[in-house]
Amino acid sequence: MLTRTDAVIVGGGHNALVAAAYLARAGRTVTVLERLGATGGAAVSTRPFTGVDARLSRYSYLVSLLPKKIVRDLDLDFAVRPRTVSSYTPTVRDGRATGLLVGGGADRTRASFARLTGTDRAYEAWNRFYATTRHAAERIFPTLTEPLPTRKELRTRVADAAAWRLLFDEPIGVGIEEHFSDDLVRGVVLTDALIGTFADAHDPGLAQNRCFLMLLERLPRLKDTSVDPREAFAGTFHVAEGYGQLATAHAEAAAGSLPSAPPSEIYCHSLTDPTILGPDLAARGYQTLTLFGLHTPARLFTEDNDTARAALLKATLAQLDHHLAEPLEDCLAEDAEGRPCIEAKTPLDLERELRLPGGNIFHRELSFPYAQEGTGRWGVETAHANVLLCGAGAVRGGGVSGVPGHNAAMAVLGR
Ligand SMILES: Cc1cc2nc3c(=O)[nH]c(=O)nc-3n(C[C@H](O)[C@H](O)[C@H](O)COP(=O)(O)OP(=O)(O)OC[C@H]3O[C@@H](n4cnc5c(N)ncnc54)[C@H](O)[C@@H]3O)c2cc1C
C-alpha cells in the first residue's frame, strides 16, 4: 500500500536518524528505509561473541564531533565519558622498552616527553601545535551546522594565518616536520590527521581500513614497566605508528602488499565505561580491546579476502606483542563454544556488511568544510533537486557527528 510521506530517507545510520528527527519535529512525515534489521549504521553496539555478556561498539570508537546543539535541539538523553589518558605509544630506544604517554596531567605528560626525547622541547612544540589546531577548531566547529561558508569567509573566521596555512594550505606533513623532530612524536601527531585515510603525509588519497574486536581475561603486561597497562590502554594505544613506519606501511600498501609492520591503534572501552561488560565479567577483571588499522586499502583484499584477513591479523598482533611482556593470545577470553573472542573485519567485510564503499569509513574522501563548485548552500545538495545527502558522504559529513543529518534537514525545511 502506498502512503504519502514528505521525505524518504534511504539508510538508517545515525545521520539519517538525526535528519528524520529534525524533520519529524518540524511536522513532516518521514519514512526511513534500512536494509539491516536495526538502525544505527556504523554507530551501534553489539554482543559479538556467543554466550558472552560484553556489549561492544563494533565499528565507531570515539564521539568528539557531535555538536551540543544537536543534542539540545533533539532533546537527546546522551552523555559522553571522557578518557583519563589521550594516548600511549610504546617503542624501543637504545634497546630499552619505553614509550610516550599523553595524559594523566601536564606534569606526567611533560615527564614522558622528557624521558623519551631527553629534552622539554618536544613537549613545548606539542603544546604550541595543539594550541594552534584547537584555536582553529573552536572557530570552525560552529560553522558546521550553518550554511556552508566560502573559503574566504572561513579564513576570516579562523583569523589565524599560521593555523590556516597548517591546516588548509599545505600537506600536514610540512607542519609536522616543522614542529617536531622526533620520529615517534611526529607519527603520533600524523595519526590524528590520517584516521580513516589511506594517504602519505604529503599526499591525498583513499580512505580504507580494517578493524578487530577482542575480549580479554586481563590486560597484558607491558615491556615498558614505567606505565601501568590500565593507564597505557586508557587512551589510544598506538602500535607501529612512528612517522617513518607510517610512510613505509603506506609505500608497501601503495605497491600492492600488506604492510609488513601494520600500523594500528587500540582502544579499551571497558576502562572508560565498565558498564559495557556484564557484572560477572566486570568482577572477574575482563576488558575489551578494539583495534583500528591504517593503510590497508580494499584492493589488497580483493584476490582472497580470507587469506589476507588472516595474514593481516597475524602481522598486526605480532606488532602489538613486540611491546608486551606476555603474548596477547594468552590474555584472550573464550566464547561459550571455546573459541577465542576475537573478530576481524577487512574493508571488504565493511563494504559487504554496512555498504561502506570500499570500506571507506567516511563513505568517500573527506572535503574541506567550505563551499566549492557544486556543493550547494548546505553541502548536502546533489544534481537532483529533490535528492539530498544526509550521511557521511555530504560536505562536512564523516564521523559520528549528526552534522550532515542536521544540514540535510535544514536544506529541506529552508525551501
Ligand atoms: C571501524 C570503524 C571505526 C570508526 N571509528 C569512528 C570513530 O571513532 N569516531 C567517529 O566519529 N567515526 C568513526 N567511524 C566513522 C563513522 O562510523 C561513520 O562515518 C558514520 O557511522 C557515518 O554515519 P552515517 O549515518 O552517515 O552512515 P552509516 O553509519 O554508514 O549508516 C548507513 C546505513 O545505511 C544503510 N544502507 C546503505 N545502503 C542502503 C540501501 N541501499 N538501502 C537501505 N539501507 C542502506 C546501511 O545498512 C547503514 O545502516 C568509524 C567507522 C568504522 C567503520
Side-chain angles (χ1 to χ4, degrees):
M1 189 186 75
L2 280 179
T3 46
R4 277 195 61 84
T5 184
D6 295 319
V8 175
I9 301 185
V10 181
H14 84 284
N15 278 315
L17 301 180
V18 167
Y22 270 104
L23 293 174
R25 288 172 82 93
R28 308 295 170 95
T29 51
V30 187
T31 304
V32 177
L33 305 174
E34 169 56 53
R35 51 176 278 279
L36 296 174
T39 54
V44 288
S45 291
T46 179
R47 287 185 174 74
F49 307 118
T50 313
V52 180
D53 190 10
R55 199 170 46 90
L56 285 105
S57 174
R58 187 167 244 158
Y59 307 107
S60 312
Y61 311 137
L62 306 177
V63 179
S64 56
L65 299 169
L66 177 65
K68 289 196 180 75
K69 171 184 165 33
I70 294 179
V71 176
R72 268 195 317 268
D73 285 353
L74 300 181
D75 279 331
L76 302 180
D77 180 12
F78 179 83
V80 280
R81 295 193 183 200
R83 304 185 300 174
T84 52
V85 167
S86 172
S87 72
Y88 171 71
T89 312
T91 189
V92 178
R93 291 267 159 101
D94 304 324
R96 182 175 59 96
T98 179
L100 177 64
L101 182 85
V102 181
D107 290 349
R108 182 108 172 87
T109 304
R110 177 188 287 276
S112 183
F113 269 95
R115 186 166 170 271
L116 182 80
T117 64
T119 76
D120 267 349
R121 277 202 302 279
Y123 176 67
E124 283 153 13
W126 177 277
N127 282 341
R128 275 197 306 277
F129 185 89
Y130 281 104
T132 303
T133 57
R134 191 164 44 249
H135 169 90
E138 282 165 4
R139 277 150 186 80
I140 295 166
F141 197 67
T143 71
L144 299 187
T145 44
E146 298 170 3
L148 268 177
T150 62
R151 185 180 157 94
K152 200 169 158 215
E153 284 163 351
L154 193 64
R155 194 181 171 135
T156 307
R157 288 275 279 262
V158 170
D160 180 336
W164 186 267
R165 180 174 67 86
L166 176 76
L167 297 170
F168 289 90
D169 277 345
E170 290 178 345
I172 196 67
V174 173
I176 291 176
E177 287 170 25
E178 260 175 31
H179 278 77
F180 306 101
S181 55
D182 188 276
D183 185 86
L184 187 93
V185 178
R186 283 179 172 180
V188 174
V189 178
L190 180 60
T191 59
D192 279 345
L194 277 186
I195 274 299
T197 305
F198 179 62
D200 183 74
H202 293 270
D203 185 27
L206 295 171
Q208 293 141 335
N209 305 273
R210 85 269 179 189
C211 53
F212 308 148
L213 294 182
M214 301 171 235
L215 180 70
L216 305 181
E217 290 178 347
R218 62 178 189 283
L219 285 178
R221 283 177 289 116
L222 299 173
K223 283 186 183 159
D224 175 6
T225 49
S226 72
V227 183
D228 187 283
R230 293 181 68 86
E231 197 175 24
F233 284 101
T236 304
F237 190 107
H238 296 275
V239 180
E241 292 195 332
Y243 199 68
Q245 287 173 306
L246 286 165
T248 303
H250 179 266
E252 287 173 341
S257 310
L258 289 172
S260 48
S264 66
E265 28 217 65
I266 300 173
Y267 306 83
C268 179
H269 294 313
S270 47
L271 282 174
T272 307
D273 182 3
T275 66
I276 65 173
L277 294 171
D280 175 50
L281 294 186
R284 283 154 68 194
Y286 278 49
Q287 301 286 353
T288 65
L289 287 191
T290 308
L291 183 148
F292 183 84
L294 278 69
H295 290 343
T296 49
R299 61 177 174 273
L300 302 181
F301 300 84
T302 45
E303 208 174 296
D304 184 345
N305 191 33
D306 290 341
T307 305
R309 187 196 301 106
L312 190 61
L313 178 61
K314 192 168 167 213
T316 301
L317 293 185
Q319 287 305 310
L320 172 59
D321 279 349
H322 199 51
H323 302 288
L324 304 182
E326 53 186 335
L328 187 84
E329 223 179 316
D330 289 2
C331 304
L332 275 177
E334 289 183 348
D335 72 8
E337 283 155 26
R339 290 172 302 209
C341 289
I342 185 159
E343 175 187 87
K345 306 254 186 228
T346 69
L348 291 191
D349 299 331
L350 294 177
E351 180 169 77
R352 200 183 51 237
E353 290 166 25
L354 279 176
R355 296 291 187 270
L356 299 179
N360 186 329
I361 69 167
F362 303 133
H363 293 187
R364 61 175 174 177
E365 226 172 284
L366 294 171
S367 49
F368 283 111
Y370 49 72
Q372 300 192 56
E373 209 177 312
T375 45
R377 180 170 151 78
W378 284 96
V380 298
E381 294 78 359
T382 70
H384 310 281
N386 283 341
V387 180
L388 304 175
L389 289 172
C390 69
V395 180
R396 309 182 289 184
V400 180
S401 72
V403 165
H406 166 275
N407 292 345
M410 293 307 120
V412 170
L413 297 173
R415 285 178 174 184

